[in-house]
Amino acid sequence: AQSVTQLDSHVSVSEGTPVLLRCNYSSSYSPSLFWYVQHPNKGLQLLLKYTSAATLVKGINGFEAEFKKSETSFHLTKPSAHMSDAAEYFCVVSKFYQGTGTASKLTFGTGTRLQVTL
Amino acid sequence: EAGVTQFPSHSVIEKGQTVTLRCDPISGHDNLYWYRRVMGKEIKFLLHFVKESKQDESGMPNNRFLAERTGGTYSTLKVQPAELEDSGVYFCASSPDRALRTYEQYFGPGTRLTVT
């Protein structure tokens, strides 16, 4: 069984300040972890992914996340928030099939809505 | 390259009626997934097609839901009869053939279903 817990349902930051969105996971397997973002009226877009390679993962738009097995965490960070970052962010875990190189069904967290103020 | 498309974008129906949602995956993607987000809850997996075959349908809530993928291309998700608790946003996602060793699922914009 696998699950993710997003510790904050809403986060508000000022433009230009750092962003931290927290995620803890639970998995019986070596997990694959993702962060997806959904802007209003848009589909879910992949920000970054961890699939057992480097523990510090860099994604699009300046976001990055660090896989910490000892803490079962995969927090999302960005040094400086921009107004366009306002969206809902989802931490996602999946079982990764080493043999086939594909992920199985995704298990989502409840989402964190990021608000960016001037 | 065109993304995953879903039709309709919104649907409002009465309890007891039938609704069919459609998903067109990215061309050439063998894997197609359906997910659902009920208001206030997390996005949950419904089922997974590999080409035209159902690989995993463990998330389908009950037998009022029927998913098909004709010829391994587009997919439909039919709800018959619809109940109030079926309201939510239905997402479709696709990913390439396993041999390409990709990990990302590409999502469509979703269909917002409201049952009144």
Side-chain angles (χ1 to χ4, degrees):
Chain A
Q2 52 199 21
S3 65
V4 287
T5 301
Q6 292 186 244
L7 298 162
D8 307 291
S9 58
H10 289 85
V11 170
S12 182
V13 300
S14 299
E15 190 175 36
T17 64
V19 175
L20 170 64
L21 305 184
R22 298 180 294 166
C23 172
N24 287 99
Y25 71 91
S26 173
S27 178
S28 304
Y29 308 95
S30 178
S32 293
L33 293 159
F34 308 80
W35 277 96
Y36 278 84
V37 61
Q38 186 180 23
H39 289 91
N41 301 315
K42 300 283 188 180
L44 292 155
Q45 180 185 21
L46 181 68
L47 273 181
L48 49 79
K49 60 192 178 192
Y50 166 77
T51 54
S52 76
T55 56
L56 182 61
V57 181
K58 294 187 183 299
I60 62 172
N61 300 332
F63 285 94
E64 63 180 40
E66 186 171 7
F67 173 71
K68 292 187 176 180
K69 187 175 181 178
S70 61
E71 299 176 10
T72 61
S73 69
F74 190 59
H75 302 333
L76 181 70
T77 61
K78 182 174 180 177
S80 176
H82 190 272
M83 294 296 289
S84 61
D85 295 328
E88 190 165 20
Y89 292 77
F90 297 92
C91 183
V92 180
V93 66
S94 174
K95 179 180 175 181
F96 174 57
Y97 293 106
Q98 293 281 357
T100 60
T102 57
S104 68
K105 62 186 179 185
L106 304 180
T107 300
F108 285 77
T110 50
T112 297
R113 192 168 295 278
L114 176 65
Q115 180 182 20
V116 183
T117 59
L118 289 172
Chain B
E1 171 181 270
V4 177
T5 58
Q6 294 186 244
F7 182 83
S9 57
H10 292 85
S11 180
V12 181
I13 61 172
E14 293 183 352
K15 176 181 173 181
Q17 289 186 321
T18 297
V19 63
T20 300
L21 313 181
R22 173 171 170 144
C23 169
D24 286 80
I26 293 172
S27 178
H29 280 194
D30 287 345
N31 296 281
L32 188 149
Y33 307 81
W34 284 98
Y35 294 85
R36 175 175 76 167
R37 190 180 196 188
V38 172
M39 187 177 293
K41 301 285 185 67
E42 67 271 30
I43 299 170
K44 285 194 172 181
F45 168 82
L46 295 178
L47 86 159
H48 170 203
F49 283 100
V50 178
K51 297 184 180 179
E52 66 275 9
S53 299
K54 292 176 184 176
Q55 179 77 11
D56 181 355
E57 53 183 328
S58 61
M60 294 289 264
N62 51 61
N63 59 11
R64 295 186 294 104
F65 288 76
L66 175 64
E68 294 179 323
R69 190 178 183 194
T70 307
T73 55
Y74 71 92
S75 175
T76 58
L77 180 64
K78 180 189 287 188
V79 185
Q80 179 182 31
E83 298 290 344
L84 297 178
E85 63 263 26
D86 300 332
S87 296
V89 181
Y90 290 76
F91 293 100
C92 177
S94 71
S95 67
D97 182 86
R98 293 176 174 184
L100 297 179
R101 294 186 170 270
T102 184
Y103 319 113
E104 179 178 357
Q105 294 183 19
Y106 298 82
F107 280 81
T111 293
R112 182 173 296 278
L113 174 64
T114 303
V115 182
T116 62

